[in-house]
Each structure stands twice: as C-alpha cells, then as structure tokens.
Amino acid sequence: MSVIVIGGNPGTGKTMIAAELSKKLELPVVQLGTIAEENGCIREHDDQRSSNVIDEDCLVEAIHNLFYENDEDFIIEGHYVDLVPSRKVKEIIILRTHPDVLRERLLERGYDKAKVNENVEAEVMGVCQMDAIFSFGEDAVYEIDTTSISVDECVNTIIEILGSNKKPEHIDWMDLLEEQGILEDYISL
Ligand SMILES: Nc1ncnc2c1ncn2[C@@H]1O[C@H](COP(=O)(O)OP(=O)(O)OP(=O)(O)O)[C@@H](O)[C@H]1O
Ligand SMILES: [Mg+2]
C-alpha cells in the first residue's frame, strides 16, 4: 500500500486538487488538518499568527494509526506532510503558486497582512519543498506551478507524474525574483 501526498503552502490549492484527484482516481482523501483535530493534536492556537500549533509527536502517532487501519491506497493532503513515513510514499506533489497570485488568494480569504506575508515569504523561499526533499529525497518530490493552470490541468499533470519515471522539476521563485531585481520586496530578513 502507498499514498499520494499533496503538500504546499496555504492557498496553493491542496484541498481543491486533492478532491478532484480523488474523484478521478477513486481514492479517498485524508486531510492532515482534520486528522490533527480529531486526534487532539492541536496544542494551542497562536493568536498572533492566527494558526494552530501542532503537537508533532501526537500527529505522527495518528498518521501511524491511519496506516495501520488502512490497507488500501489513499491521498494525503495538508501541511506537515514531512511527518508522513517516507517508506509509504512513492511520490509527493508540492503545489507552488507565484508569490503575487498567492498573496491575492490569501488576501481574498481575509487573512491579515502578517499572516499573508509569512506565507508568501515561505513560498518565495520554498520551505515546503525543502522540507519535503529533506524527508523524502529529491527524486520523490515533484512540484507543480498552479498559478495559471486549471484544477483539471493540475490533476492531469499529477496523473502523468504518477504513471511515469519522469525526473522531478523544481521551481525556484527566488531565482526568478532575483533576476527581476525585486527579491527584497518579498523577503523581510
Ligand atoms: N489551478 C488552481 N488549482 C488550485 N486552486 C486554484 C487554482 N487556481 C485558483 N485556485 C484558487 O486557489 C485557492 C486554493 O484553495 P485551497 O483551499 O484548495 O488551498 P489549500 O492549499 O488547501 O489551502 P490550506 O492550506 O489553507 O488548506 C482556491 O480559492 C482556488 O479557487
Ligand atoms: Mg486545504
């Protein structure tokens, strides 16, 4: 049994794309956020960053139980995908979105400025992708830019990746923004 993992920053499209992929492949989707909630793995709510602080040991155990209880393939989506045991993961898809478009999507959700900036900065630096590569190895981590493709196109790209031995391509917003001479506008260091 193996799982398809979909990760990425908030607003990159994980939930929408996992739902559509689930329909096409007829596989159930598990949302890590829901697993964390249902298993009491949310330690506290960080009001300043308006986000939940996860008890990682608790979530690792909950994910372990999930694998123990299921013997069919499924899709996992959410943050903290690096907590999924790597021996169960064949391919991991990290969704990426151009920082400007991601900013728009997050502002539309009504996130405050600090939270938007924090997430846009994480996207610029490629934090999710680096964490995934660290956990699963460079050859297992595929990145898809959802900036200007439809959900359907993205799902088809994922299906192509799953059935092939394609080498992963990596997306680097830092390079692009640096070339344009505007990287400092995105990073608050
Ligand atoms: N090609 C695309 N793929 C996915 N989402 C897209 C795309 N184009 C635009 N969007 C928009 O981006 C948003 C993605 O929201 P979604 O809830 O799926 O993100 P998420 O990664 O699950 O976020 P979170 O981590 O907060 O759960 C939606 O508002 C959707 O309409
Ligand atoms: Mg989601």
Side-chain angles (χ1 to χ4, degrees), residues 17-84:
I17 284 163
E20 214 36 53
L21 186 66
S22 155
K23 272 195 232 158
K24 277 217 170 149
L25 297 182
E26 297 184 3
L27 293 178
V29 189
V30 170
Q31 287 180 293
L32 284 180
T34 310
I35 297 296
E37 260 172 49
E38 286 176 355
N39 289 276
C41 303
I42 294 174
R43 226 190 302 155
E44 58 182 293
H45 186 78
D46 181 338
D47 290 334
Q48 224 176 355
R49 297 171 61 218
S50 22
S51 60
N52 289 324
V53 181
I54 294 289
D55 178 339
E56 290 200 357
D57 290 340
C58 171
L59 187 53
V60 166
E61 195 184 327
I63 295 171
H64 176 84
N65 291 339
L66 195 70
F67 280 106
Y68 190 71
E69 288 156 13
N70 285 281
D71 45 18
E72 302 289 327
D73 294 355
F74 56 96
I75 301 166
I76 291 187
E77 68 101 341
H79 299 123
Y80 342 108
V81 286
D82 40 312
L83 301 182
V84 178

Side-chain angles (χ1 to χ4, degrees), residues 14-16 31 77 109:
K14 299 180 295 295
T15 301
M16 281 190 73
Q31 287 180 293
E77 68 101 341
R109 284 183 178 189

